[in-house]
Amino acid sequence: MTIINYQNKRFLIVDPIKPSRDSLKQLAQDLNASRIDTSFYPNDVIHMCENIDYDVIFLGYDLGLEQKNGQQLLEELRVNKIISRQCVVIIVTAENSQAMVLAALEHKPDDYLTKPYNFKQLTLRLERCFHKKHNMNKIYKALDDKKHNTVIELCQETIKQGTPYRLECLGIQSRQYFDLGEFSKAKKIYLSHQNTPNCEWACMGLGKIALLEHEYQLASEIFEKLITNSPHYLSAYDWLAQAFKHVGEIKKSEATLEQALTLSPRSVVRLQDYA
């Protein structure tokens, strides 16, 4: 595994509880981080991330009453592309309810750690995240630069080299074909993986292509099957709601979003769609 040099890493610690904030700061100091900033005000965090390219964000979940929570903050950072894919985001929280975990994972933190934890656990998670970032660095950079064809070439190269992240590479590659409108190439990857373990992404891709090709009944069937087999795969509800909406079944669309919001009530984008 790659040895991580933390002396050139910039850390941002977002936690409203001072002892927790201080302990995470101590960990970053022990790792000899080059910069360590702390805050628990979401608006300040957005401003800080706009001005500094952080390498690591330890993100608390509960940031206090009448403020965005950590999941909503992460959603804003991701959706508005304020942080890059090279930034490691680890959600650290005492909250372990189903809704919170689903909501947090929906917006792709690099890891999720429930309190209480020890520094050894957290350091191992951090190293694992950086190891993946190192191996996928060129692909992530090309994704940030929206160079679809470069991403495809890099994914193909990386798969040939026997990467442990093969499934992620296939998922990324197929999404590039999807974004380029090359549905036949995307569909070929999706079809070859739709019945493999952890195949939700492939089924999702087939449903999205069916929807865009105006095969609304087929799209609905794919998304409904996906929800039946993987009821916590939340984005399937969003796309199923769209499929219903396209054929004028607004009540079914609303009911589908209600199901997703029951599982994960904190998604800002989903709440807006529902409204």
Side-chain angles (χ1 to χ4, degrees):
M1 189 173 283
T2 308
I3 297 173
I4 310 301
N5 176 17
Y6 291 98
Q7 292 181 356
N8 61 357
K9 304 298 183 193
R10 291 152 294 194
F11 281 63
L12 174 59
I13 299 164
V14 185
D15 197 313
I17 302 171
K18 190 175 187 304
S20 178
R21 199 164 61 242
D22 289 346
S23 66
L24 289 169
K25 185 174 182 178
Q26 184 60 56
L27 169 66
Q29 288 172 339
D30 291 346
L31 293 172
N32 296 315
S34 67
R35 178 177 184 135
I36 307 166
D37 294 326
T38 65
S39 179
F40 63 91
Y41 295 107
N43 289 338
D44 288 349
V45 170
I46 296 294
H47 179 71
M48 293 162 78
C49 289
E50 286 174 337
N51 289 281
I52 299 167
D53 292 327
Y54 289 104
D55 301 287
V56 180
I57 299 177
F58 290 136
L59 182 58
Y61 176 71
D62 186 356
L63 302 180
L65 296 174
E66 299 181 1
Q67 289 204 104
K68 295 172 187 172
N69 59 43
Q71 180 265 319
Q72 291 168 325
L73 181 55
L74 175 58
E75 180 177 5
E76 185 169 346
L77 291 169
R78 294 285 195 209
V79 169
N80 294 321
K81 304 188 187 318
I82 296 170
I83 57 175
S84 74
R85 288 177 175 81
Q86 281 74 26
C87 178
V88 172
V89 179
I90 298 180
I91 288 187
V92 185
T93 176
E95 174 68 61
N96 62 1
S97 69
Q98 173 181 281
M100 185 272 147
V101 173
L102 287 171
L105 293 180
E106 187 176 9
H107 292 286
K108 298 180 175 59
D110 294 283
D111 213 329
Y112 173 85
L113 192 62
T114 305
K115 298 174 184 178
Y117 58 87
N118 58 52
F119 281 175
K120 183 178 180 181
Q121 286 177 309
L122 190 48
T123 303
L124 285 172
R125 302 268 183 119
L126 199 52
E127 288 177 354
R128 187 170 63 194
C129 290
F130 272 116
H131 178 66
K132 182 178 179 181
K133 298 286 185 186
H134 175 77
N135 281 273
M136 299 286 286
N137 179 59
K138 290 181 180 178
I139 294 172
Y140 289 161
K141 188 175 186 313
L143 277 168
D144 283 333
D145 294 339
K146 297 182 180 179
K147 296 180 178 178
H148 299 295
N149 289 313
T150 302
V151 172
I152 291 167
E153 291 170 10
L154 288 170
C155 284
Q156 290 170 337
E157 249 178 65
T158 305
I159 290 168
K160 283 179 185 176
Q161 292 167 0
T163 175
Y165 311 113
R166 179 176 179 275
L167 271 183
E168 181 173 349
C169 286
L170 284 167
I172 291 171
Q173 182 181 338
S174 59
R175 283 195 297 276
Q176 304 315 297
Y177 286 135
F178 180 89
D179 290 344
L180 290 168
E182 298 181 21
F183 293 156
S184 60
K185 290 181 180 178
K187 198 181 287 188
K188 185 177 179 182
I189 296 174
Y190 294 143
L191 287 170
S192 63
H193 290 84
Q194 65 176 329
N195 297 315
T196 59
N198 302 314
C199 65
E200 292 88 354
W201 59 273
C203 298
M204 177 65 67
L206 289 171
K208 288 162 68 175
I209 289 174
L211 184 62
L212 292 179
E213 291 181 338
H214 310 297
E215 297 183 56
Y216 301 124
Q217 182 61 38
L218 175 59
S220 296
E221 289 171 2
I222 292 172
F223 295 135
E224 286 175 328
K225 183 179 179 181
L226 181 52
I227 289 169
T228 299
N229 294 334
S230 303
H232 292 157
Y233 201 80
L234 293 167
S235 55
Y237 295 85
D238 300 325
W239 283 90
L240 178 58
Q242 283 195 42
F244 286 140
K245 191 176 176 182
H246 276 290
V247 294
E249 297 192 54
I250 302 303
K251 291 296 181 186
K252 283 188 177 181
S253 182
E254 287 178 356
T256 302
L257 289 174
E258 283 175 5
Q259 280 183 278
L261 288 167
T262 299
L263 288 168
S264 175
R266 300 180 182 274
S267 169
V268 175
V269 174
R270 186 172 297 118
L271 283 166
Q272 289 173 339
D273 288 343
Y274 181 66

